[in-house]
Structures are given as C-alpha cells and as structure tokens.
Amino acid sequence: MPGHPVHATALIEAYLPGPDLDRTTDPLLRHLRHGGALSEEVIADTAHTHRSGRLTVTPDSGHVVDPGVGCPHPRRITLGAPTNSRALAAFARPRTNAPAFRQNDAGARALLTTLTGPAAADHRPERPAAPVGLGG
C-alpha cells in the first residue's frame, strides 16, 4: 500500500485481470471475435449500457452464444471467470456441491455430450489410412 512499506520474505501475486474480450491476447478468441462468432455481455437499461468484457455463454452448459446465428454454438463450450456465467464461491470446499463445482460438472456433461452425440460423427476427421510399406 502506498506510504506503508512492508518487509517480507515472500510475495504471492494473486491478481486476476478483469475480462476484456476486445483486448484479449488469446489468438483463438481474437479470431472468433473479429469473425463475429463471439459476443460480449452487454447489460443495458433505459439510462445506461455496460459492456462487461465477458464472453456470453449459456448459463446451464457454458455453450458460447454465436451472434451470427443468434443461439448457442453446438460445439463451443467454455466456462470460468471471463464468461458471463460466473459461479459463486471461488474457494469452494470439496464435497459441498458448491455452485462452481456444479458449473464445472454441467460444462463437462455438455462437452461429453457434444463429443459423443450423433452430431459428433459429422465433425470427426477421417482416420488416416494405415501406413504402407512398413512390413517386417
């Protein structure tokens, strides 16, 4: 704190920068944002508009809302502090079924459903052919 020097043998920095989708350095998020495939949470009423900098996702499963189609993208899932689906209790204890744990579980279920559901077969790359000429 300014004006109050502290002498210590160690410092643990626990700063988490605020979300800012427009200034992200993540190349994937930048690409999707500039391509119009991501939207930022905007909270507005008749007097004010607030841009949170957070990625807009569905609250139940963490699917990224695609503004190009106006609904959640079926294969893009994310969760955590930079999204508009914030779970409470950042320091949840094990075996408490805390909101953060429930959010992570819902995201995992959505991811597994996406990877194993009927539509997943349409997006799987074909398996490469077996190598030729590598006999014994």
Side-chain angles (χ1 to χ4, degrees):
M1 296 187 35
H4 299 283
V6 175
H7 300 279
T9 58
L11 170 68
I12 298 173
E13 175 61 62
Y15 172 76
L16 181 62
D20 192 340
L21 193 55
D22 281 338
R23 296 188 325 185
T24 182
T25 58
D26 182 279
L28 176 60
L29 288 177
R30 269 198 333 260
H31 173 75
L32 291 171
R33 173 77 165 150
H34 293 301
L38 301 177
S39 62
E40 176 183 0
E41 174 189 46
V42 177
I43 303 166
D45 62 19
T46 57
H48 301 296
T49 299
H50 171 70
R51 296 180 57 190
S52 72
R54 298 177 186 277
L55 178 62
T56 304
V57 299
T58 60
D60 58 337
S61 63
H63 279 88
V64 174
V65 175
D66 186 337
V69 294
C71 63
H73 190 283
R75 296 185 53 82
R76 293 183 184 145
I77 300 168
T78 190
L79 52 91
T83 72
N84 70 325
S85 182
R86 300 174 283 281
L88 302 172
F91 299 104
R93 292 180 309 277
R95 296 182 297 280
T96 61
N97 199 25
F101 295 146
R102 292 194 306 269
Q103 183 184 51
N104 290 344
D105 290 345
R109 279 191 297 278
L111 180 61
L112 290 171
T113 299
T114 298
L115 294 175
T116 60
D122 297 338
H123 298 283
R124 286 191 190 114
E126 290 187 32
R127 297 183 80 173
V132 179
L134 297 177

